[in-house]
């Protein structure tokens, strides 16, 4: 293999898919990058195709079933707002930043999922406030380097407006440029969510999504400029990639409403007090779990399966396919689920139990005109991967790859090992 890079920059553009490549090629910085990059436009995400499982697969070279991040949020039926799985301790394998640290490589991660308490010296973890007593600043301070984050907040906090976009990415972008120029880390993970947010709010092909892509083009140009100013670009490699795409949504299905009606969920004083079976949304898909304490009841599994299969038959409900535990595990999802449900086209799932279904326009708390979480093999639902710089051969990869292939490829380029990973190194792009 050719020369190893001194610096590797990994930029994830959340919810940017292969369908966006045509438009991205009309924008100056994307076009210039792609012209000198190895590029694959046939990348499959994970299942469920959610942000936290996807980014952890990139980081570990493993499927969710093996790295342990099988959803964005925890299974907490009694909580209206479940906790997000944002801490490093939940990843069951080594990661690129762990292996880099062993080699003395300085690491950074801004807004990268599941980076909380990861010992990364320059880190703004992506954390979500779900408890009334929490504030964003407090939760970030509890999960990342305090003085580094305070410094960023002092310098660039005026750019931020909570987690609203594009202000959040403007803050993270300014923080990234500052971090490159002041600390020049050898391995930098950057996660930008502008497109994802706008597609959730407005829909996949809304002009707001293209406006966000145009902002990303400017951000890419600024990042490359900062890298040129701070080091030898002949010894720098840059990876630009997506984690999943989105689909437009019109209606929402609430499986827990039916499970409650069947007496499998106990609601008292407006809260879940007990359950024998419960649905856990992944947006475009949905886990169904049996309570471990009730699994010895041989009739329970048959009863829940019968209920779900009857729901699948209904044209006015959102279940498109049902996967068994074994089938879900084979797809890389949680092997501890009982069933996995895939939404019909135009539908997604939520966990509420007050109604069976709802048009998206009538949902107040989790209204999403575009979303993800679906099977990653659907037509037009893939994402992309591009790499340029030291050790990279600028070739077209005209075959299907997976997110976990990206992780082991980055590791191979850097001379790191992710151990017994699922991915296959993209050797055709390495010099």
């Amino acid at each position: 293999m050719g020369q190893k890079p001194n610096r590797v920059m990994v930029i994830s553009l959340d919810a940017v898919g292969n369908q966006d490549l045509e438009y991205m090629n009309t924008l100056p910085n994307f076009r210039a990058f792609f012209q000198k990059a190895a590029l694959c436009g046939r990348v499959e995400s994970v299942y469920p195709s959610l942000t936290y499982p996807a980014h952890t697969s990139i980081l570990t070279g493993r499927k969710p079933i093996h790295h342990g991040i099988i959803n964005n949020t925890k299974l907490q039926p009694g909580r209206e707002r479940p906790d997000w799985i944002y801490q490093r301790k939940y990843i069951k394998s080594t990661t690129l930043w762990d292996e880099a640290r062993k080699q003395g490589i300085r690491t950074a991660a801004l807004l990268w999922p599941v980076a909380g308490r990861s010992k990364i010296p320059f880190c703004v973890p992506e954390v979500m406030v779900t408890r009334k007593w929490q504030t964003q600043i407090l939760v970030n301070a509890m999960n990342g380097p305090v003085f580094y984050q305070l410094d960023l907040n002092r310098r660039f906090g005026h750019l931020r407006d909570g987690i609203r976009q594009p202000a959040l990415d403007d803050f993270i972008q300014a923080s990234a440029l500052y971090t490159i120029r002041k600390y020049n880390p050898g391995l930098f993970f950057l996660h930008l969510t502008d497109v994802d947010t706008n597609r959730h709010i407005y829909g996949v092909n809304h002009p707001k999504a293209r406006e966000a892509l145009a902002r990303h083009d400017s951000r890419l140009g600024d990042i490359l400029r900062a890298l040129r100013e701070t080091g030898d670009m002949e010894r720098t490699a840059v990876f630009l990639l997506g984690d999943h795409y989105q689909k437009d949504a019109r209606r929402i299905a609430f499986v827990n409403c039916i499970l409650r009606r069947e007496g499998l969920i106990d609601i008292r004083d407006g809260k879940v007090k007990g359950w024998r079976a419960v649905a856990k949304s992944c947006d475009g898909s949905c886990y169904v779990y049996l309570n471990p304490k009730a699994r010895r009841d041989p009739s329970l599994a048959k009863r829940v399966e019968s209920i779900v299969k009857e729901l699948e038959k209904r044209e006015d409900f959102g279940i498109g396919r049902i996967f068994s535990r074994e089938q879900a595990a084979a797809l890389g999802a949680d092997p501890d689920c009982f069933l996995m449900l895939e939404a019909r086209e135009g539908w997604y799932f939520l966990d509420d139990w007050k109604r069976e279904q709802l048009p998206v326009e009538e949902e107040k708390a989790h209204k999403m005109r575009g979303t993800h979480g679906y099977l990653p093999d659907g037509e037009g639902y893939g994402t992309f991967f591009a790499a340029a710089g030291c050790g990279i051969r600028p070739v077209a990869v005209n075959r299907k790859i997976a997110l976990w292939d990206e992780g082991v490829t980055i590791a191979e380029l850097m001379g790191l090992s992710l151990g017994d990973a699922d991915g296959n190194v993209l050797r055709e792009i390495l010099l």
Side-chain angles (χ1 to χ4, degrees):
M1 201 180 82
Q3 195 175 43
K4 288 196 305 184
N6 288 337
R7 296 185 301 177
V8 172
M9 182 89 202
V10 183
I11 306 170
S12 167
L13 305 179
D14 201 305
V16 175
N18 51 25
Q19 301 295 301
D20 295 313
L21 290 174
E22 182 177 359
Y23 175 64
M24 293 167 76
N25 268 299
T26 69
L27 301 171
N29 295 302
F30 284 134
R31 181 174 64 248
F33 184 83
F34 291 149
Q35 285 174 348
K36 59 185 180 182
L39 176 63
C40 180
R42 299 177 62 196
V43 182
E44 279 195 6
S45 189
V46 297
Y47 193 51
S49 49
L50 295 174
T51 299
Y52 283 34
H55 281 82
T56 309
S57 285
I58 296 165
L59 192 65
T60 64
R62 288 169 167 81
K63 301 175 183 178
I65 189 175
H66 296 139
H67 61 59
I69 309 302
I70 47 79
N71 205 334
N72 283 347
T73 58
K74 297 178 181 179
L75 177 63
Q76 295 174 322
R79 292 193 55 80
E80 184 176 351
R81 299 181 65 195
D83 294 321
W84 286 65
I85 307 170
Y86 52 68
Q87 292 181 342
R88 165 66 182 88
K89 67 181 181 180
Y90 296 110
I91 303 175
K92 297 178 180 178
S93 63
T94 192
T95 68
L96 283 167
W97 62 58
D98 294 326
E99 298 306 314
R101 185 168 57 246
K102 292 176 186 177
Q103 300 300 318
I105 299 171
R106 184 181 290 183
T107 56
L110 298 190
L111 221 64
W112 196 273
V114 204
R117 300 188 183 180
S118 58
K119 299 181 181 178
I120 297 173
F122 312 110
C123 181
V124 177
E126 180 174 295
V127 295
M128 302 293 179
V129 173
T130 57
R131 310 293 179 102
K132 292 181 180 179
W133 54 268
Q134 293 175 334
T135 66
Q136 195 71 49
I137 292 176
L138 173 63
V139 178
N140 271 90
M142 292 171 61
N143 287 278
V146 175
F147 293 110
Y148 170 71
Q149 292 187 88
L150 286 175
D151 185 32
L152 296 182
N153 193 63
R154 179 178 63 84
R155 294 174 183 275
F156 311 117
H158 64 280
L159 299 173
R160 197 177 56 238
D161 182 17
I163 61 173
R164 284 176 281 277
Q165 291 288 14
L168 177 59
D169 274 8
D170 290 344
F171 167 73
I172 291 299
Q173 169 80 355
S175 300
L177 298 176
Y178 172 74
T179 301
I180 291 169
R181 292 188 170 109
K182 183 173 178 62
Y183 302 107
N184 203 14
L187 178 60
F188 198 146
F189 294 92
L190 177 64
H191 176 219
L192 298 171
T193 67
D194 198 350
V195 172
D196 183 67
T197 297
N198 278 282
R199 284 185 159 145
H200 279 312
I201 296 171
Y202 299 106
V204 175
N205 295 309
H206 194 278
K208 293 284 188 182
R210 285 203 167 190
E211 292 172 12
L213 280 168
R215 290 191 288 270
H216 279 342
D217 182 76
S218 296
R219 291 170 182 136
L220 175 62
D222 290 343
I223 290 165
L224 295 176
R225 189 175 305 111
L227 290 171
R228 285 193 294 270
E229 293 171 0
T230 54
D232 181 3
M233 291 302 284
E234 296 298 316
R235 299 294 304 278
T236 301
V238 179
F239 292 84
L240 185 68
L241 50 88
D243 60 340
H244 54 69
Y245 196 44
Q246 288 199 18
K247 294 183 180 183
D248 287 319
R250 300 181 302 276
R251 298 193 71 83
I252 309 165
F254 302 89
V255 178
N256 282 331
C257 177
I258 286 85
L259 296 179
R260 178 203 182 194
R261 189 182 303 152
E262 294 289 332
L264 296 171
I265 299 176
D266 180 19
I267 305 294
R268 280 174 279 166
D269 300 323
K271 294 184 179 180
V272 176
K273 297 298 183 180
W275 57 279
R276 301 180 72 209
V278 71
K280 173 62 178 172
S281 168
C282 308
D283 295 344
S285 56
C286 181
Y287 290 117
V288 177
Y289 291 96
L290 302 185
N291 192 312
K293 296 178 181 179
R295 286 180 184 173
R296 294 182 181 179
D297 180 353
S299 64
L300 178 61
K302 290 183 178 179
R303 184 179 173 198
V304 172
E305 185 174 14
S306 175
I307 292 168
V308 171
K309 285 186 174 179
E310 286 301 312
L311 282 176
E312 183 189 23
K313 295 176 184 177
R314 287 176 46 179
E315 294 293 333
D316 65 337
F317 202 76
I319 298 176
R321 296 177 66 181
I322 301 172
F323 298 111
S324 67
R325 173 188 289 111
E326 294 76 17
Q327 290 170 325
L331 291 165
D334 188 1
D336 291 328
C337 73
F338 173 58
L339 298 171
M340 185 72 158
L341 315 180
E342 176 73 5
R344 291 179 186 269
E345 196 70 25
W347 288 74
Y348 67 95
F349 298 101
L350 287 179
D351 292 341
D352 197 7
W353 40 264
K354 299 181 182 69
R355 57 235 159 165
E356 284 192 6
Q357 58 174 280
L358 200 65
V360 167
E361 300 303 324
E362 295 181 21
E363 170 63 20
K364 292 181 174 58
H366 302 285
K367 180 186 295 183
M368 296 185 290
R369 295 181 178 90
T371 195
H372 45 96
Y374 304 94
L375 273 171
D377 61 354
E379 185 68 28
Y381 187 60
T383 186
F384 80 101
F385 170 83
C390 181
I392 305 294
R393 179 182 289 111
V395 297
V397 179
N398 295 315
R399 62 185 178 89
K400 189 179 291 186
I401 70 169
L403 292 186
W404 44 89
D405 296 330
E406 300 171 358
V408 293
T409 301
I410 296 170
E412 180 77 8
L413 177 68
M414 298 183 69
L416 307 175
S417 173
L418 289 175
D420 187 20
D422 296 309
N424 295 306
V425 175
L426 305 176
R427 298 198 179 276
E428 64 264 50
I429 79 167
L430 300 180
L431 293 170

